[in-house]
Amino acid sequence: MNELKEKIFKAQSEGDIASLYVLEAQAHETFDEETLMAYYANILDLALERLTNTLENLEKLDMSEVQDFATLRALYEYAIEHYSAGAATDASALFEVLGGLSNDEAFSEAMAVHRAACDTQIPFDDFIDEYVDMVATQKGGKFYISVFKKEIGV
């Protein structure tokens, strides 16, 4: 456990979100719920810091760069958390930022669909059940919902 904590501390101090995701399975096996919540909060804090720096520098995140990929994943998970908790307006804003933040066209297009679902007040569970092709998404191997069954009329 101490070895894991040392690896996590090193990754955190270096702002290495990707390494924190690599250590995620071990963290789940080792830590209690409260410690896991703090673990994910730290990932989010690092991602928000990278988001701020990216926006201040008028840059885009490159999905092929490991830290940028991990940052987008963390922020996407944060947006999904908001959406699934019923905070569609907040989630919509996050999806909009994410879509503009990435240089990956497919990701940006998927964020536009997520945003449309939030903006039309489609409950999260209905979005998943009626609009998302989860099998194709999982086969696609993306960290985000990437394949849809039908369009969302805006």
Side-chain angles (χ1 to χ4, degrees), residues 78-135:
Y78 183 59
I80 287 291
E81 193 177 295
H82 277 72
Y83 188 15
S84 66
T89 303
D90 293 342
S92 174
L94 289 164
F95 291 132
E96 180 179 15
V97 168
L98 283 169
L101 196 61
S102 171
N103 70 348
D104 185 282
E105 192 174 319
F107 179 76
S108 295
E109 288 172 7
M111 294 308 99
V113 176
H114 287 65
R115 182 172 175 225
C118 291
D119 291 348
T120 55
Q121 299 296 312
I122 297 169
F124 181 73
D125 290 339
D126 293 348
F127 173 64
I128 297 297
D129 293 342
E130 297 173 29
Y131 295 90
V132 173
D133 186 335
M134 196 55 78
V135 173

Side-chain angles (χ1 to χ4, degrees), residues 8 14 20-21 23 25 39 42 53 62 75 80 83-84 88 91 104 107 112 117 126-127 133 143 147:
I8 290 170
E14 294 173 356
L20 290 171
Y21 274 122
L23 298 169
Y39 180 80
N42 190 268
N53 292 339
D62 183 350
L75 295 170
I80 287 291
Y83 188 15
S84 66
D104 185 282
F107 179 76
D126 293 348
F127 173 64
D133 186 335
F143 67 83
V147 184

Side-chain angles (χ1 to χ4, degrees), residues 3-151:
E3 184 180 332
L4 176 59
K5 284 183 178 180
E6 286 176 28
K7 287 179 185 177
I8 290 170
F9 180 73
K10 183 176 188 277
Q12 288 172 340
S13 64
E14 294 173 356
D16 187 349
I17 299 168
S19 289
L20 290 171
Y21 274 122
V22 169
L23 298 169
E24 183 178 26
Q26 282 181 277
H28 272 275
E29 292 171 7
T30 308
F31 298 141
D32 61 27
E33 190 68 28
E34 188 176 322
T35 306
L36 275 175
M37 294 304 288
Y39 180 80
Y40 285 112
N42 190 268
I43 289 174
L44 179 59
D45 287 346
L46 291 171
L48 290 170
E49 186 178 315
R50 283 183 56 91
L51 168 65
T52 301
N53 292 339
T54 301
L55 292 173
E56 285 175 354
N57 295 322
L58 303 174
E59 298 171 346
K60 287 201 178 252
L61 294 178
D62 183 350
M63 193 73 85
S64 65
E65 203 272 56
V66 70
Q67 291 303 326
D68 288 358
F69 177 92
T71 299
L72 288 167
R73 176 182 165 185
L75 295 170
Y76 175 75
E77 290 172 355
Y78 183 59
I80 287 291
E81 193 177 295
H82 277 72
Y83 188 15
S84 66
T89 303
D90 293 342
S92 174
L94 289 164
F95 291 132
E96 180 179 15
V97 168
L98 283 169
L101 196 61
S102 171
N103 70 348
D104 185 282
E105 192 174 319
F107 179 76
S108 295
E109 288 172 7
M111 294 308 99
V113 176
H114 287 65
R115 182 172 175 225
C118 291
D119 291 348
T120 55
Q121 299 296 312
I122 297 169
F124 181 73
D125 290 339
D126 293 348
F127 173 64
I128 297 297
D129 293 342
E130 297 173 29
Y131 295 90
V132 173
D133 186 335
M134 196 55 78
V135 173
T137 291
Q138 289 170 340
K139 282 184 181 174
K142 307 271 192 233
F143 67 83
Y144 60 93
I145 296 169
S146 57
V147 184
F148 304 92
K149 294 187 250 185
K150 63 181 183 179
E151 300 256 337

